[in-house]
Amino acid sequence: RKEVEQDPGPFNVPEGATVAFNCTYSNSASQSFFWYRQDCRKEPKLLMSVYSSGNEDGRFTAQLNRASQYISLLIRDSKLSDSATYLCVVNVDLGSWGKLQFGAGTQVVVTP
Amino acid sequence: DGGITQSPKYLFRKEGQNVTLSCEQNLNHDAMYWYRQDPGQGLRLIYYSQIVNDFQKGDIAEGYSVSREKKESFPLTVTSAQKNPTAFYLCASSIRSGGENTGELFFGEGSRLTVL
């Protein structure tokens, strides 16, 4: 079983709509959580960290559910520029970022 | 502007040849990392270094080697022992490894290696 699992998609979303997707993780000792965005054939870039209380950054909302071991990302009022692959990243060991585990990504395609 | 520079962006290699991928950062970051990305899979850690002259194996270190002689540089050598070297290789850095950290990795633009 993979340590971090994501629905690969694609999630086809009309412009202006809302899309949400989850990421599950297997290690209950996981300490910190992140969403990265990766455009086609480009490098990943940090989108947002995920805090226990949930957090929002503009049109993006991230939530953590420790009991069920998943994090979620919601995108409101989708823009064409939101089309990308969203990577879920989990850190098991705060003592070393070498313990980061990446999901394979969820592809989002926003259509006009 | 500060950042991470990887070279070359595209590289073709014949089987049996070693190849070295360059990674240079001017962000003054302590930690550097090499990841490999294959289609349909998450990034997998090859090697990482938390400080100059020290590095640790990641999950898939076999067939690879690294050095960290300078803070700014973390080259990766893909040796002929690596069975499936064709992949997208990403170098990253972070302010420091672990502890109080934003968790942000800064990635280079990647190097695409194709073995013919």
Side-chain angles (χ1 to χ4, degrees):
Chain A
R1 182 187 172 187
K2 293 181 180 177
E3 296 213 30
V4 179
E5 296 208 54
Q6 297 184 250
D7 182 338
F11 285 65
N12 294 298
V13 186
E15 195 174 5
T18 296
V19 61
F21 41 89
N22 295 339
C23 161
T24 60
Y25 60 94
S26 60
N27 191 330
S28 59
S30 298
Q31 300 283 340
S32 50
F33 310 87
F34 311 92
W35 284 105
Y36 277 71
R37 171 195 169 125
Q38 185 173 25
D39 293 316
C40 187
R41 301 179 72 83
K42 298 286 190 179
E43 74 276 20
K45 293 182 180 179
L46 180 67
L47 178 66
M48 57 197 305
S49 302
V50 186
Y51 303 120
S52 297
S53 56
N55 49 302
E56 193 173 301
D57 183 1
R59 297 180 294 107
F60 297 84
T61 300
Q63 293 200 315
L64 167 64
N65 186 317
R66 284 194 183 273
S68 299
Q69 295 184 202
Y70 73 86
I71 64 173
S72 64
L73 182 66
L74 182 146
I75 307 173
R76 284 185 301 276
D77 187 23
S78 297
K79 311 291 185 191
L80 295 176
S81 57
D82 294 334
S83 296
T85 297
Y86 292 85
L87 308 179
C88 170
V89 183
V90 176
N91 186 22
V92 177
D93 179 5
L94 274 181
S96 170
W97 294 107
K99 299 299 183 183
L100 286 176
Q101 296 291 335
F102 284 76
T106 295
Q107 185 184 8
V108 172
V109 179
V110 182
T111 55
Chain B
D1 287 338
I4 299 182
T5 302
Q6 287 187 241
S7 63
K9 284 191 176 180
Y10 300 94
L11 185 61
F12 296 89
R13 184 195 97 175
K14 292 182 179 180
E15 279 193 28
Q17 289 181 334
N18 292 354
V19 62
T20 297
L21 307 180
S22 169
C23 178
E24 303 278 332
Q25 55 101 355
N26 59 4
L27 299 167
N28 199 32
H29 286 173
D30 291 315
M32 297 187 74
Y33 314 78
W34 274 105
Y35 289 91
R36 168 182 173 142
Q37 188 173 35
D38 295 284
Q41 294 193 44
L43 275 66
R44 292 182 291 167
L45 183 65
I46 304 172
Y47 270 98
Y48 67 105
S49 168
Q50 300 181 5
I51 197 170
V52 175
N53 292 322
D54 185 55
F55 49 82
Q56 287 81 40
K57 292 182 179 180
D59 300 320
I60 55 166
E62 185 175 349
Y64 300 98
S65 66
V66 293
S67 62
R68 186 86 186 277
E69 297 176 0
K70 298 186 298 182
K71 187 175 185 178
E72 303 80 20
S73 179
F74 192 41
L76 174 75
T77 297
V78 184
T79 75
S80 57
Q82 169 49 234
K83 300 302 180 189
N84 296 296
T86 294
F88 185 42
Y89 291 89
L90 286 159
C91 179
S93 69
S94 65
I95 295 173
R96 52 183 159 313
S97 180
E100 293 181 9
N101 190 316
T102 63
E104 184 168 12
L105 292 179
F106 293 80
F107 286 88
E109 293 185 339
S111 294
R112 291 192 180 275
L113 172 62
T114 302
V115 175
L116 304 173

